[in-house]
């Protein structure tokens, strides 16, 4: 599975890259801001996109809105990374059509479990026996 990780924080990118490559066997492309993320998204398909909400120049939410307008949001599942877990923020993200979200600080085992499920769904979809990736309902 080829994953785009876009976060302006080098430490977060490092944690995500290691987790995705070492624990889930994914190939990872990294970028540090929204402009680079848009360039990557338009130049190659990704099986999953992990986007930080707060980035310089173009935010993760703006990227999702651009993808939605271009009709590429459903083809490239997006998991948002946020430090803001307020209900209205999460609700807005889900309304935009993202696949799921992760709240910072990242909890490794919970994140591996969540991304592992997305990877399994991706593999099932590729085999033609699965359904589209859907947002997971988080219990409060």
């Amino acid at each position: 599975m080829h994953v785009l990780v876009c976060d302006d924080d080098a430490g977060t990118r490092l944690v995500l890259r290691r987790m995705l490559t070492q624990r889930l066997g994914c190939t990872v492309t990294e970028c540090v801001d929204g402009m680079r993320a848009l360039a990557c998204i338009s130049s190659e398909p990704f099986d999953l996109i992990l986007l930080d909400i707060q980035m310089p120049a173009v935010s993760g939410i703006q990227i999702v809105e651009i993808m939605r307008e271009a009709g590429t949001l459903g083809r490239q599942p997006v998991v948002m990374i946020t430090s803001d877990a307020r209900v209205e923020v999460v609700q807005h993200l889900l309304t935009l059509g993202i696949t799921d979200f992760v709240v910072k600080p990242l909890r490794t085992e919970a994140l591996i479990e969540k991304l592992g499920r997305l990877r399994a769904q991706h593999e099932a979809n590729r085999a033609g026996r699965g359904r589209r990736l859907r947002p997971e309902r988080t219990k409060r």
Side-chain angles (χ1 to χ4, degrees):
M1 190 161 98
H2 189 193
V3 180
L4 175 65
V5 173
C6 186
D7 195 307
D8 58 328
D9 180 67
T12 300
R13 287 194 318 275
L14 175 67
V15 167
L16 289 169
R17 182 181 67 240
R18 283 187 177 167
M19 187 182 314
L20 288 161
T21 57
Q22 295 174 2
R23 302 280 298 270
L24 297 172
C26 298
T27 303
V28 175
T29 299
E30 294 180 40
C31 59
V32 298
D33 62 45
M35 293 302 291
R36 289 189 180 115
L38 287 171
C40 287
I41 291 166
S42 66
S43 67
E44 62 182 299
F46 291 93
D47 300 311
L48 176 63
I49 299 169
L50 292 169
L51 280 177
D52 185 21
I53 287 183
Q54 296 176 326
M55 292 185 291
V58 179
S59 74
I61 291 175
Q62 290 170 311
I63 292 169
V64 170
E65 290 169 343
I66 290 167
M67 291 177 69
R68 186 176 182 180
E69 287 174 20
T72 60
L73 187 55
R75 289 179 283 170
Q76 297 182 0
V78 175
V79 173
M80 301 299 288
I81 303 166
T82 180
S83 55
D84 190 350
R86 290 177 297 155
V87 172
E88 58 271 16
V89 172
V90 171
Q91 198 69 30
H92 178 65
L93 293 173
L94 293 173
T95 302
L96 287 173
I98 65 162
T99 305
D100 211 334
F101 66 95
V102 177
V103 178
K104 289 181 182 179
L106 302 176
R107 292 187 351 252
T108 305
E109 291 307 316
L111 185 55
I112 288 173
E113 182 181 323
K114 183 176 287 202
L115 296 178
R117 280 194 306 270
L118 291 173
R119 182 174 160 235
Q121 285 180 326
H122 167 74
E123 290 172 359
N125 290 343
R126 285 183 59 187
R129 50 189 161 79
R131 53 187 166 79
R132 288 189 60 210
L133 295 174
R134 300 202 186 264
E136 180 180 311
R137 300 294 175 216
T138 304
K139 295 178 184 172
R140 298 242 169 228

